[in-house]
Amino acid sequence: MPLTEQPVLSVKNLTVHYGDGCPLCAAHLEKNRCSACGTVWAANDICLDVFPGEILGIVGESGSGKSTLMQSIYFDVEPTEGQAYLSDYYKGEKNIWMASSAEKRTIKNNIMGMVYQNPILGLRMDYSAAANIAEKIIAAGSRNAGQMTERAKELLTAVEILTSRMSEAPKNFSGGMQQRVQISKALANNPSLLLLDEVTTGLDLSVQAKVLDLIRKIIAEFGISVLLVSHDLAVIRMLADRTIVMLDGKIIESGLTDQILEDPQHAYTQQLVHSLL
Amino acid sequence: MEILRIEDLTKNFYLHNAGKEIKSCHDIDFTLEEGQFIGIVGLSGAGKSTILKCINRTYLTTQGNIIYNSSAFGKLDLTKASEREMLYLRKYEIGYVSQFLNVMPRTTAKEHVMNALLEIGTPKEQAEKDAKDMLFYFRLAEDLWDLYPNTFSGGERLRLNLAHTMVTHPRLMLLDEPTASLDNKTKMLVKDMLIKLKDKKTSMIGIFHDLEFMDGICDKVFNISEGNMI
Ligand SMILES: Nc1ncnc2c1ncn2[C@@H]1O[C@H](COP(=O)(O)OP(=O)(O)OP(=O)(O)O)[C@@H](O)[C@H]1O
Ligand SMILES: Nc1ncnc2c1ncn2[C@@H]1O[C@H](COP(=O)(O)OP(=O)(O)O)[C@@H](O)[C@H]1O
Ligand SMILES: [Mg+2]
Ligand SMILES: [Mg+2]
Ligand SMILES: [Zn+2]
């Protein structure tokens, strides 16, 4: 049978609360906030699988929990409930959210790569571009300075940043260049899963095209699986094999990307798609 | 051998904002044998494209079954197949040609055709050779091969779409007005290609306005407005 691979990432029943919750929460949610106790249910019972070589798109209203989901997977946000499994961590048999902090660092450095919506979260703006990448490589255990420089050159070239600028700090770079440095940093240790949160938002169209093109080539070349959050349905259409739609912390619908865009079922998805035409 | 059987297919769209249900095709029944070509005709808006999109899972079927005899999975109902099964079938077994082009930015015409092959693991040199042969066959001017297709004319896009879909030799082809914006000469090329594919046992369903074009390739014609097979 052609489809036997296990998922690279499997998330089960992820819930993230901001606040302590109360017995009334379930019945008193207004959008994602409990009107009785004020707890925000940023992610509410999220389940998803990402398969090898696949790009899974995530769309949804602002505040619907997309970044919360990404940051939970990357250990930046602590889940209230739920499990996540990576095929590269104990063959997907152990919940990564129960790992020790040392194991979590290893997972972050060796198995996953993250590109944040806000480059300030992903880069040290005062270090050079090369040092940003080196930091990630060192975190994975390498000590050879010569090899690190070579690798930084290779990665920056792959994202079309001139090696002559590698010793400059990202704070001097444009938004598009910062995103590209983040991408090369995320790829530094050959991750099997790449998390991309709005990588092209705020970039002008020609730079967007460049970043998208790059993402697609990297994915094809390295066979990396990707979780891709984007507001831009054109980006989703071009890149994502399947797409998940989020609203108020929940997944309201999911399907093949062209089906979500051409035959959306949920009122929110219809509004999202039709406002585009 | 029966490759596809459509049973009682009905598709309605519910539009929440308007609070309205739009009825598209309903109670469609037909079977496609291996190597057969069925043409679909009918008035505009009758639901012809809807049938093809339901088979391709671009639309979710409201009612009925679409039984496909897959080489990889055996018989399965495409209305209930998993998303991953559908993605697999789209890469390896089912080709869909629409009039609209969906390409990546900064991807040349040749790369676009090659990508279909690279996705299924064809080695690069072979993919490049096959892509060129296919573009050559559809007489896409060689000057255009290394350009980004967003500047192409309707007919050029269509030929690129056809090349992209046919280069992997899908065993079931779904063609939604594949000749709509072509001149006569190119139409005849497409027709020759379809006849060749048919000789190789490719099964096809095509929507056409041009009755003359259908003559000589269609084994059966399904008139959707009347719901019968001619
Ligand atoms: N640290 C926090 N404390 C309290 N509430 C938070 C915190 N972080 C996020 N939230 C809330 O969680 C919800 C989800 O936020 P999140 O950043 O995941 O949204 P998003 O889907 O990424 O939105 P956008 O598209 O605007 O980036 C929002 O209601 C947000 O206000
Ligand atoms: N994505 C869609 N959402 C809502 N209605 C649709 C959609 N696609 C098709 N329809 C409706 O279904 C009917 C049949 O459309 P279609 O299959 O495109 O017709 P044909 O190809 O026969 O011209 C029309 O009334 C059309 O407006
Ligand atoms: Mg966000
Ligand atoms: Mg039509
Ligand atoms: Zn509460």
Side-chain angles (χ1 to χ4, degrees):
Chain A
M1 286 301 279
L3 298 178
T4 49
E5 322 102 309
Q6 77 177 117
V8 171
L9 167 74
S10 182
V11 173
K12 306 250 187 257
N13 312 102
L14 166 67
T15 296
V16 178
H17 290 179
Y18 290 106
D20 295 332
C22 74
L24 300 178
C25 276
H28 287 73
L29 284 185
E30 278 171 13
K31 296 192 71 79
N32 63 358
R33 187 176 170 279
C34 171
S35 59
C37 70
T39 296
V40 172
W41 290 59
N44 193 343
D45 203 23
I46 301 292
C47 298
L48 59 84
D49 287 320
V50 184
F51 289 94
E54 171 178 67
I55 306 183
L56 182 65
I58 302 178
V59 297
E61 203 169 53
S62 180
S64 60
K66 306 179 297 294
S67 298
T68 301
L69 165 65
M70 301 291 262
Q71 291 176 14
S72 304
I73 296 167
Y74 204 60
F75 306 119
D76 291 331
V77 163
E78 180 141 7
T80 311
E81 266 173 56
Q83 303 86 42
Y85 304 93
L86 287 165
S87 57
D88 284 347
Y89 176 69
Y90 290 101
K91 300 198 168 82
E93 284 162 10
K94 277 193 180 182
N95 178 3
I96 61 169
W97 289 326
M98 300 297 278
S100 68
S101 3
E103 279 181 324
K104 283 182 181 167
R105 271 196 302 278
T106 308
I107 294 174
K108 261 177 112 143
N109 287 319
N110 300 344
I111 305 180
M112 298 195 276
M114 170 75 139
V115 176
Y116 290 90
Q117 184 167 11
N118 182 350
I120 288 173
L121 294 176
L123 294 176
R124 290 185 191 268
M125 288 295 177
D126 299 325
Y127 288 29
S128 71
N132 266 283
I133 294 171
E135 189 190 18
K136 178 100 180 172
I137 300 176
I138 291 167
S142 170
R143 288 287 177 274
N144 183 325
Q147 271 176 16
M148 257 184 290
T149 310
E150 274 316 298
R151 179 75 179 139
K153 274 188 188 161
E154 186 189 351
L155 287 161
L156 289 169
T157 307
V159 298
E160 298 181 23
I161 289 193
L162 294 174
T163 48
S164 60
R165 302 199 64 179
M166 67 191 261
S167 42
E168 276 179 57
K171 69 177 175 204
N172 298 338
F173 289 171
S174 70
M177 287 172 77
Q178 290 174 351
Q179 289 307 54
R180 283 182 279 147
V181 176
Q182 271 209 85
I183 294 174
S184 51
K185 183 174 174 179
L187 292 171
N189 300 321
N190 298 315
S192 49
L193 177 69
L194 193 57
L195 306 167
L196 303 175
D197 194 353
E198 300 282 3
V199 261
T200 58
T201 309
L203 306 180
D204 69 62
L205 282 176
S206 68
V207 181
Q208 268 193 29
K210 196 176 234 177
V211 173
L212 290 178
D213 181 44
L214 196 101
I215 292 169
R216 189 182 54 85
K217 292 213 166 102
I218 288 166
I219 292 160
E221 193 169 331
F222 300 101
I224 300 174
S225 309
V226 182
L227 211 51
L228 172 80
V229 170
S230 181
H231 273 110
D232 186 340
L233 295 183
V235 170
I236 294 288
R237 183 186 279 276
M238 277 183 286
L239 290 177
D241 300 300
R242 297 187 298 127
T243 294
I244 278 174
V245 187
M246 290 184 64
L247 182 68
D248 302 337
K250 298 194 194 91
I251 293 179
I252 52 166
E253 109 171 77
S254 65
L256 298 179
T257 299
D258 56 323
Q259 183 256 300
I260 293 290
L261 297 176
E262 293 193 40
D263 189 14
Q265 304 294 302
H266 193 283
Y268 169 73
T269 320
Q270 289 187 358
Q271 184 198 327
L272 187 77
V273 168
H274 294 151
S275 61
L276 198 80
L277 304 176
Chain B
M1 186 192 71
E2 189 178 287
I3 189 154
L4 188 76
R5 186 171 67 227
I6 308 227
E7 298 173 337
D8 214 17
L9 177 74
T10 297
K11 173 62 182 168
N12 304 325
F13 296 92
Y14 183 74
L15 301 180
H16 292 269
N17 187 32
K20 239 193 216 154
E21 185 155 68
I22 295 172
K23 294 191 178 355
S24 186
C25 60
H26 61 92
D27 306 311
I28 305 292
D29 276 292
F30 64 83
T31 8
L32 180 70
E33 297 288 327
E34 185 174 33
Q36 213 178 29
F37 197 125
I38 291 184
I40 302 181
V41 297
L43 300 174
S44 168
K48 305 182 293 298
S49 302
T50 299
I51 298 178
L52 298 194
K53 288 187 178 182
C54 284
I55 299 171
N56 198 44
R57 183 70 87 72
T58 301
Y59 290 168
L60 296 174
T61 297
T62 307
Q63 199 185 296
N65 307 311
I66 300 172
I67 311 295
Y68 169 64
N69 197 346
S70 154
S71 351
F73 306 111
K75 274 198 182 170
L76 80 171
D77 184 349
L78 298 183
T79 67
K80 297 182 185 73
S82 73
E83 288 164 15
R84 301 193 63 229
E85 283 167 338
M86 277 319 297
L87 286 172
Y88 176 93
L89 292 175
R90 285 179 181 190
K91 269 190 202 163
Y92 291 89
E93 299 191 21
I94 303 179
Y96 171 76
V97 181
S98 82
Q99 232 193 300
F100 307 102
L101 183 66
N102 186 15
V103 287
M104 285 293 301
R106 303 208 308 171
T107 301
T108 66
K110 188 178 77 191
E111 285 169 344
H112 181 58
V113 179
M114 281 174 69
N115 282 342
L117 291 166
L118 295 176
E119 272 191 14
I120 59 172
T122 309
K124 199 161 177 200
E125 285 89 79
Q126 186 65 44
E128 175 153 14
K129 186 183 171 299
D130 292 356
K132 283 180 171 169
D133 286 350
M134 202 48 81
L135 289 169
F136 184 78
Y137 180 87
F138 281 109
R139 298 201 191 170
L140 192 75
E142 258 181 75
D143 301 346
L144 300 179
W145 292 5
D146 294 316
L147 298 186
Y148 305 143
N150 45 354
T151 56
F152 286 12
S153 74
E156 286 161 354
R157 282 175 190 221
L158 185 51
R159 279 178 282 159
L160 179 59
N161 271 351
L162 287 164
H164 172 84
T165 305
M166 292 196 186
V167 77
T168 56
H169 303 294
R171 60 202 285 278
L172 172 63
M173 292 263 291
L174 310 170
L175 305 154
D176 196 344
E177 307 202 27
T179 54
S181 45
L182 299 184
D183 57 79
N184 267 324
K185 201 163 155 199
T186 318
K187 263 190 201 171
M188 286 309 127
L189 284 174
V190 173
K191 190 166 177 173
D192 282 349
M193 183 73 177
L194 295 179
I195 289 170
K196 278 191 196 140
L197 286 172
K198 199 161 134 49
D199 289 342
K200 288 190 197 155
K201 289 261 177 235
T202 306
S203 315
M204 291 180 267
I205 304 179
I207 298 172
F208 300 98
H209 279 308
D210 183 346
L211 296 177
E212 195 185 331
F213 182 88
M214 296 166 76
D215 195 37
I217 34 177
C218 291
D219 300 295
K220 294 196 270 182
V221 176
F222 181 75
N223 186 325
I224 183 176
S225 312
E226 282 149 30
N228 58 4
M229 195 68 85
I230 307 159

